[in-house]
Amino acid sequence: MMRKGVTESFGAAIQALGAGQLTDGVIRRSKRMMLDTLGVGLLGSRTDVFDKVLKYSRSFQSEENSSVWGKSDTTVPPHFAAFVNGVAVHSMDFDDTWYPATHPSGAVLAALLALAEVAPGRPSGVDLLLAFNVGIEVQGRLLRFSREAFNIPKRFHPPSVVGVMGSAAASAKLLGLSSEQCANALAIAACSAGAPLANAATQTKPLHMGYAAQRGLEAARLAQTGVQGNQSILDAEHGFGVYYEDYEPSAMTLPGVGGSGWVLEEQDVAFKRVPAHLGMHWVVDAALTARAKIPNLDAGQIKRVTLRVPPSKYIDCPFPTTEHQARHSFQFNACSAILDAGVSVGSFATPQRERSDLKELLAKVEVHVPGDNHASFDKMYGEVVIESHRGESVSARCDTFYGHWRKPLRQEDLVDKFMSNASSVLSSEGAEGALDTVGNLETEAECTQLLSYLTMTTEQRHRKCDSGALSQSV
């Protein structure tokens, strides 16, 4: 028998995977990922970059339309719904992070929920769970074809590369495409893969997630119409291998077959407690621990703050001038934690960034890169030393922050994060309905029920109240 190529094996596996192969562990972890993604996406629907891409997307019309999360009366064509919801998820850099390095959930979930509204057959909650896990699994398999992918990225933003492939695979699964069409979807998606890391710390970085969702969805629908691509896209060095210098692909086997399991069961994700780049969580935790050792902190008495961090130029921003730069600044996050005893969504607002005491403290920061601090989210550490003019010195080191895959966020804290984010946009009925629906997704006859809750906004409730008051007065 002729051996399958890598791309052919991926197409066959995507087509063949069934709900019966989902394990309890994979279901539990993927529902946590979905819940967190929806929460940060809802919060992100109130950001400046989201408003801009939604305005652009609303200029297009289609016979098909899908919902925009956090908007009660706004729909756009499905591929633009995937785009704007994907942008919302990453607009604050608040979404989950995997290892090897990528943000796995945003592109997949944004594409699937947009597609589910227009897909024939009314996909169920189980259909959504399966397609979501197919998209996550494909990303995990591709990331393991390179040792380079295990490090903090240097050249491109990983969701723009593996996210679009995961989105395509998930969309192809939800559409019920043949194995050949699934392989073509991956080939078509590869045409849109890749975004330079130079756009990190700008409003363009969230677009990477939006484009990954949009173009993966489009790739699957184009494959459905018969568009063909290179059936060796994952095999060829000049195919998907162009993104990694040490690319070594291998065939995809079905989880549970031949000793292979789900990647998600083997490797959990990190959930963020701070809306910033993952690397910031180490220095925030270390800064908070060091600060706690100084009773009655007087910021004016601080002589120097030393940060010991891994080498990574794009998250070394001494004096950030925008919220996006601040989310990628070791210095800003350490100083905010020292001054405010915490870092929150409000920490990145203009008034907080422009404070004189923050600027004064930023000028006192020194960044050191020890040789033993590796540029890997699995091996790095953050250390903070605070020295005073009186000669005092306190320090703290964080090797694993709470929320990292080695120290997973407890379910109650994950729910608290979701409810805090969702309740800033949705009515209590919407937030609680979304929470309950994700928690019981296996029992949902139609997964689009989830979208009805994602559009129950506080503005919608106020309009209903105003309308009721008006009718009574009449």
Side-chain angles (χ1 to χ4, degrees):
M1 180 182 291
M2 187 173 179
R3 186 179 178 182
K4 287 183 180 179
V6 174
T7 311
E8 185 182 1
S9 75
F10 269 68
I14 292 168
Q15 189 276 327
L17 275 166
Q21 289 161 291
L22 293 172
T23 65
D24 290 343
V26 163
I27 291 173
R28 181 180 61 84
R29 285 184 173 177
S30 60
K31 288 199 295 188
R32 281 164 58 86
M33 294 161 72
M34 287 182 176
L35 187 67
D36 186 67
T37 300
L38 293 174
V40 299
L42 287 164
L43 184 66
S45 71
R46 297 301 184 264
T47 59
D48 181 50
V49 63
F50 174 85
D51 288 342
K52 291 174 179 176
V53 299
L54 179 57
K55 180 179 179 181
Y56 164 75
S57 298
R58 292 181 72 174
S59 65
F60 295 87
Q61 296 181 344
S62 169
E63 293 181 359
E64 299 178 320
N65 285 289
S66 298
S67 302
V68 176
W69 304 352
K71 298 290 182 181
S72 60
D73 56 358
T74 302
T75 59
V76 292
H79 55 296
F80 281 110
F83 173 60
V84 297
N85 293 329
V87 169
V89 169
H90 200 58
S91 62
M92 291 185 175
D93 225 310
F94 210 3
D95 46 327
D96 57 16
T97 305
W98 214 9
Y99 182 71
T102 195
H103 304 286
S105 299
V108 174
L109 190 57
L112 287 177
L113 287 180
L115 184 59
E117 289 191 85
V118 298
R122 298 184 179 277
S124 68
V126 170
D127 294 331
L128 179 63
L129 269 172
L130 177 60
F132 180 82
N133 278 289
V134 166
I136 301 301
E137 183 71 14
V138 164
Q139 292 180 76
R141 298 289 183 108
L142 292 175
L143 285 165
R144 280 156 179 74
F145 291 167
S146 164
R147 292 304 308 171
E148 178 188 350
F150 285 76
N151 298 325
I152 296 175
K154 294 180 180 179
R155 295 178 292 118
F156 56 81
H157 192 206
S160 71
V161 173
V162 295
V164 68
M165 306 298 280
S167 170
S171 298
K173 185 63 182 177
L174 197 69
L175 289 170
L177 301 191
S178 68
S179 59
E180 182 180 1
Q181 288 172 320
C182 290
N184 279 321
L186 295 177
I188 297 166
C191 296
S192 302
L197 204 55
N199 270 323
T202 72
Q203 285 192 334
T204 298
K205 190 186 181 196
L207 270 61
H208 300 168
M209 189 69 75
Y211 284 138
Q214 174 185 12
R215 290 169 179 169
L217 185 158
E218 289 178 334
R221 298 191 87 179
L222 286 167
Q224 187 178 37
T225 68
V227 175
Q228 298 177 340
N230 189 327
Q231 289 288 304
S232 299
I233 195 71
L234 301 181
D235 307 68
E237 185 176 333
H238 60 290
F240 198 75
V242 300
Y243 297 106
Y244 300 99
E245 294 179 357
D246 58 349
Y247 183 71
E248 295 183 5
S250 59
M252 181 174 178
T253 55
L254 293 176
V257 177
S260 170
W262 292 92
V263 176
L264 182 58
E265 198 156 37
E266 170 194 331
Q267 177 63 63
D268 202 356
V269 301
F271 294 110
K272 298 179 179 181
R273 292 176 297 124
V274 175
H277 184 278
L278 192 72
M280 305 302 111
H281 290 65
W282 279 269
V283 296
V284 167
D285 275 20
L288 291 174
T289 303
R291 183 193 192 280
K293 298 177 181 180
I294 308 175
N296 304 315
L297 175 71
D298 181 353
Q301 286 297 312
I302 296 177
K303 177 183 177 181
R304 178 168 45 244
V305 176
T306 302
L307 309 181
R308 297 192 176 106
V309 295
S312 185
K313 293 181 179 179
Y314 83 103
I315 46 179
D316 177 4
C317 185
F319 299 100
T321 59
T322 69
E323 63 162 302
H324 296 280
Q325 288 179 353
R327 298 183 198 280
H328 294 74
S329 168
F330 281 128
Q331 298 88 333
F332 176 89
N333 285 272
C335 289
S336 292
I338 291 169
L339 289 176
D340 304 327
V343 180
S344 66
V345 171
S347 299
F348 301 91
T350 300
Q352 291 293 96
R353 296 197 321 269
E354 297 299 321
R355 292 177 294 164
S356 59
D357 57 348
L358 178 61
K359 291 182 177 181
E360 289 171 10
L361 191 56
L362 284 169
K364 300 176 182 179
V365 177
E366 293 181 3
V367 174
H368 295 176
V369 181
D372 67 341
N373 203 346
H374 302 286
S376 163
F377 292 138
D378 202 47
K379 299 176 181 178
M380 68 172 281
Y381 64 86
E383 188 170 1
V384 176
V385 181
I386 305 173
E387 301 171 73
S388 75
H389 288 293
R390 296 191 296 266
E392 301 167 320
S393 177
V394 297
S395 66
R397 169 170 162 160
C398 175
D399 292 291
T400 305
F401 65 87
Y402 177 48
H404 190 276
W405 43 85
R406 287 195 299 268
K407 194 183 291 187
L409 213 60
R410 292 184 292 270
Q411 183 66 14
E412 57 267 32
D413 291 331
L414 185 74
V415 169
D416 284 347
K417 177 187 174 183
F418 169 78
M419 290 301 291
S420 175
N421 290 336
S423 297
S424 68
V425 177
L426 302 182
S427 65
S428 58
E429 182 184 358
E432 291 166 6
L435 173 64
D436 182 67
T437 301
V438 173
N440 298 284
L441 198 55
E442 309 97 308
T443 67
E444 291 292 329
E446 295 182 17
C447 68
T448 50
Q449 174 63 36
L450 179 58
L451 287 158
S452 67
Y453 292 117
L454 298 180
T455 55
M456 289 183 183
T457 63
T458 53
E459 291 92 337
Q460 181 187 39
R461 183 187 64 194
H462 292 153
R463 280 198 301 271
K464 286 183 177 179
C465 291
D466 292 343
S467 175
L470 180 61
S471 64
Q472 289 176 13
S473 66
V474 173

